[in-house]
Amino acid sequence: MIFRFSAQQFVVKQCLILLASGLIGYWLGYFWLALFVVTAATLAWHYKFLLGLIKWLWHKNLLYPPESKGIWGHVYDGIYRRIKSYRKKQKQLNLRIRQYRDGAEALPDAAIVLDLYFNIRWSNKKANRLLGVRWPQDAGQRITNLVRSPVLNKYVKKMDFSEPCSIVSPDSPEQQIEMRFMLYGEDQYLMLARDVSQTKRLEKMRRDFVANVSHELKTPLTVMQGYVEVMLDQDDISEQWRKSLDTVQTQVSRMDRLVQQLLVLSKVEVPAEEDSRHNVHLPKLLDKVMEDVHWLNKQKGHEIAVEIDPRLGILGIESELKSACSNLIVNAMNYTGTGGRIDICWKKQGDYCLFSVKDTGCGISEFDISRLSERFYRVDKSRSRDTGGTGLGLAIVKHVAANHNAELLIESQLNQGSTFTIKFPASDSFTIRKLESAIN
Ligand code: ADP
């Protein structure tokens, strides 16, 4: 029943009761007594409903209010309607939460909701199977206390979630788990974890296969190279044979370079361990690289400008850095025409240390730049073949950069030239003192 409340009616009714009781009292000669009795009765009536209300709210688990009259009908009805609307909203909210949880349970990944301090708020059943996180028992625990991994600890401390974090399962060293953190809502993270052991195993098999095949090809290639050289040294071979043998020699050398690059690539593709990095005297390393490749410059006579900070060293893997730097320098020489200019620079700039190779060569179109570091991607296949290119150089540079927390940046304009830069964090650099340069 819906009570319509009117303040006017209520006041008029109260006044009429008091007036009637006053008149009757006056007529009987007990004016004040009559007023007192009526006021006390009204109070008792109100107390009755007030106590009824308290009993209903606190002691009875009923949705519907007890029978009531007058102004108390309005009070009971108002409270009843509020409760009903709250219950409806709560039901809808529960339904939404259930739908959201069912959705999270249906995910193929382990899903954990964390607060801003990485304490667990909720997790699905797969999180229990994969990471041993149980909900609600583990609610409030910090994720790094339950999933014990130094890699995860470091990742969470760094607060950079742009890349996923790969850890070895704390339960089984065979199992590799990949985790992603996403900030959502205002104050929570969604952490998704999946078992990537199979993918990693296949990746490793592919890498091992390429490395093994390349390794096996090395010996026959060396033998072929030897025999071709011996045959070319003979004075009595015909001009036709000499030409054929020259072609064989060129192709064998190309194949040999390809095999060498494949071996380097399979090595640098594996993320480097932190402790495999050492202080590298990069200025000295660049001197060596320039010595190795200067013969390439003889034919084309490039103008080469070198600006190297002689005191700037970097934490890294020397062989990898050598390979990356020489790939960039050789590319600049290969793809820059006769008389072009090449600027090689190694310096500190703000929070970064930059190794850059700038040339005035053929340049690369915007479309090709994005695909350049893919394996075997060449802008111009015939030109790359002419230069003896394998199409693996920039893929190697990209992996080396990733292994050094660095980034490969490419700027280029068609027919104007290109700048390839490896951007290292300055926090990995060190100042070379005399003693170190003597040792290196
Ligand atoms: P390659 O061994 O063929 O040079 P890379 O991986 O080193 O393979 O380079 C991939 C492709 O990028 C090359 O084939 C070439 O087309 C282009 N490229 C690389 N460096 C330069 C450069 N300095 N100027 C113009 N093009 C370049």
Side-chain angles (χ1 to χ4, degrees), residues 261 327-336 357-359 361-364 368 371-381 383-385 387-397 412 417-420:
Q261 294 275 59
N327 268 311
L328 292 186
I329 297 171
V330 168
N331 275 354
M333 291 179 167
N334 280 339
Y335 299 104
T336 302
V357 181
K358 185 177 171 194
D359 64 55
C362 58
I364 308 147
D368 289 310
R371 301 198 53 193
L372 226 50
S373 50
E374 287 173 22
R375 275 165 239 191
F376 297 111
Y377 188 81
R378 292 150 170 146
V379 178
D380 180 342
K381 288 196 173 57
R383 192 201 310 240
S384 178
R385 212 165 286 132
T387 61
T390 57
L392 295 174
L394 291 180
I396 291 174
V397 178
S412 188
S418 321
T419 308
F420 288 78

Side-chain angles (χ1 to χ4, degrees), residues 353-370:
C353 291
L354 309 175
F355 171 71
S356 64
V357 181
K358 185 177 171 194
D359 64 55
T360 54
C362 58
I364 308 147
S365 73
E366 221 178 297
F367 169 78
D368 289 310
I369 289 181
S370 55

